[in-house]
Amino acid sequence: MRGIGLKIAPVKKVGVAFGGGGARGLAHLGALRTLRKREGYFPGIVAGTSAGSIAATLCASGISQREIEETAMEFNWFRSVVSLSDTLRHYLGKKKGGLVSNAKLGESINRLISGRSFDDFEMDLAVVATEIEKKTRVIFTSKRAAARIDWNYLYQFLLPPEGNKPGCETVVISDFKDVGKAVMASCAVPGVFMPVEIYGMMLLDGGVVDQVPVDVIRAMGADFAIGISLALAFLPPRITNAPQALSGMVGLLGVQQLRKSMDMADIGFQVKGIEYRSPVNPRQYDLINLGEEQMNYWIDYHERKKSGILRR
């Protein structure tokens, strides 16, 4: 009988972790454009933090690349993200914790994905947020993905408290259906956006504890992991005022954690050329091409290294 004795290589399950970076997240759309074109690299698992959670959600939803990029072109902070009415309601209720509410972001995401939940997507999706007061990383995902999570990967990256040693607990939530609200929480930059309340937890930006969640896609079963970082963009080239000093401090504190995350990826890279870019200007459309070019570069680099053309 033909074929006996032949070993067929298993199809690798690709996972992509999209990192946070504010409006610089446009670069993720270019990376996604490349992943669609390169055979064997389109993901079956995606996870995202902050701006990366938006890219991950749109990818998982099955929306076409054209529609994703057209949506980006129509983006407007006050039409797509900031809710003045929700901000006023929070202030009247004396619940602040931030300058404005990003409630419209949740509405925008849910409209784009037609109100579907994590369980409705064929692709596995995880959205990462942070509960600072309880020192907890919160991962929103589907029931099927939660059932097979390998906690060793999560603990390898972020240890829970033990005895008198500090740490950060991780909670996986698989029964929350509002994907848009989970993305709101993941994107709630501390001090800018108000915390998002879910199940009694006051949630903020996932980048506080996991800037590029490569450990999450590994835990969800990715055989081949890609991590795309925009994080070092938070390191200002020059310090001329207090906000830049704060941004620089936060960025430096996260470098070691970011390196640890990238080491867990088969292809892990920091998008270059965004150091001088605004984290709030949504009209930097050339970042899409930048992300596409650099994703292509790193796939080519990986292919050359795999074939032995490059040495470590």
Side-chain angles (χ1 to χ4, degrees):
M1 183 176 178
R2 287 186 176 182
I4 293 178
L6 293 177
K7 291 184 179 180
I8 300 175
V11 177
K12 63 186 178 185
K13 193 157 193 177
V14 177
V16 180
F18 297 93
R24 302 178 183 110
L26 284 167
H28 286 318
L29 306 188
L32 182 55
R33 185 194 284 170
T34 291
L35 294 172
R36 292 182 189 275
K37 295 177 181 177
R38 300 294 293 259
E39 185 177 353
Y41 287 95
F42 190 69
I45 299 170
V46 288
T49 290
S50 198
S53 72
I54 299 174
T57 297
L58 296 179
C59 177
S61 71
I63 296 174
S64 70
Q65 185 70 22
R66 178 179 178 180
E67 186 175 354
I68 289 174
E69 293 185 24
E70 286 177 351
T71 297
M73 299 293 182
E74 297 171 358
F75 182 90
N76 178 285
W77 281 103
F78 287 100
R79 185 174 64 243
S80 308
V81 177
V82 176
S83 172
L84 296 180
S85 60
D86 198 56
T87 299
L88 180 61
R89 180 173 61 81
H90 277 76
Y91 272 93
L92 291 176
K94 297 184 179 180
K95 293 182 180 180
K96 300 175 186 177
L99 297 176
V100 292
S101 165
N102 66 346
K104 277 191 179 179
L105 175 60
E107 297 170 7
S108 298
I109 293 294
N110 283 333
R111 184 168 57 252
L112 285 168
I113 64 175
S114 302
R116 287 173 290 168
S117 70
F118 291 93
D119 291 305
D120 294 328
F121 299 146
E122 291 185 14
M123 188 182 295
D124 288 334
L125 166 68
V127 171
V128 180
T130 306
E131 218 295 356
I132 292 180
E133 290 185 0
K134 298 177 182 176
K135 300 178 180 62
T136 304
R137 171 176 59 169
V138 180
I139 300 171
F140 294 94
T141 190
S142 64
K143 290 184 176 66
R144 67 174 182 274
R148 66 168 189 272
I149 279 182
D150 184 341
W151 285 78
N152 290 321
Y153 281 109
L154 301 183
Y155 289 153
Q156 180 181 336
F157 179 75
L158 201 60
L159 289 170
E162 182 180 352
N164 62 348
K165 297 178 181 178
C168 184
E169 295 282 3
T170 294
V171 173
V172 175
I173 295 178
S174 61
D175 61 350
F176 189 69
K177 297 185 180 301
D178 192 337
V179 177
K181 194 166 186 179
V183 171
M184 275 174 58
S186 184
C187 293
V189 178
V192 178
F193 294 118
M194 295 171 174
V196 178
E197 184 173 1
I198 296 176
Y199 290 164
M201 299 180 292
M202 302 306 289
L203 302 178
L204 290 168
D205 197 307
V208 175
V209 291
D210 199 351
Q211 185 63 236
V212 186
V214 176
D215 63 310
V216 176
I217 57 173
R218 284 291 193 197
M220 293 167 70
D223 303 310
F224 188 88
I226 299 173
I228 306 170
S229 170
L230 310 176
L232 295 186
F234 291 112
L235 292 174
R238 288 183 295 275
I239 305 294
T240 60
N241 54 47
Q244 286 181 342
L246 178 61
S247 177
M249 182 186 72
V250 172
L252 282 172
L253 289 174
V255 166
Q256 185 176 1
Q257 186 190 59
L258 179 60
R259 176 63 181 268
K260 190 175 181 181
S261 185
M262 293 293 97
D263 284 345
M264 296 180 74
D266 294 285
I267 297 177
F269 66 99
Q270 164 72 29
V271 176
K272 295 180 180 179
I274 57 175
E275 294 81 2
Y276 294 89
R277 299 307 189 91
S278 168
V280 296
N281 179 7
R283 304 299 179 190
Q284 304 167 95
Y285 303 128
D286 62 310
L287 288 177
I288 299 176
N289 292 331
L290 184 68
E292 179 183 22
E293 291 166 4
Q294 293 195 24
M295 189 73 256
N296 264 314
Y297 171 85
W298 285 106
I299 289 177
D300 288 341
Y301 181 89
H302 171 76
E303 292 288 346
R304 293 197 302 273
K305 187 168 72 172
K306 186 172 66 173
S307 66
I309 297 175
L310 293 175
R311 294 183 179 179
R312 287 185 177 274

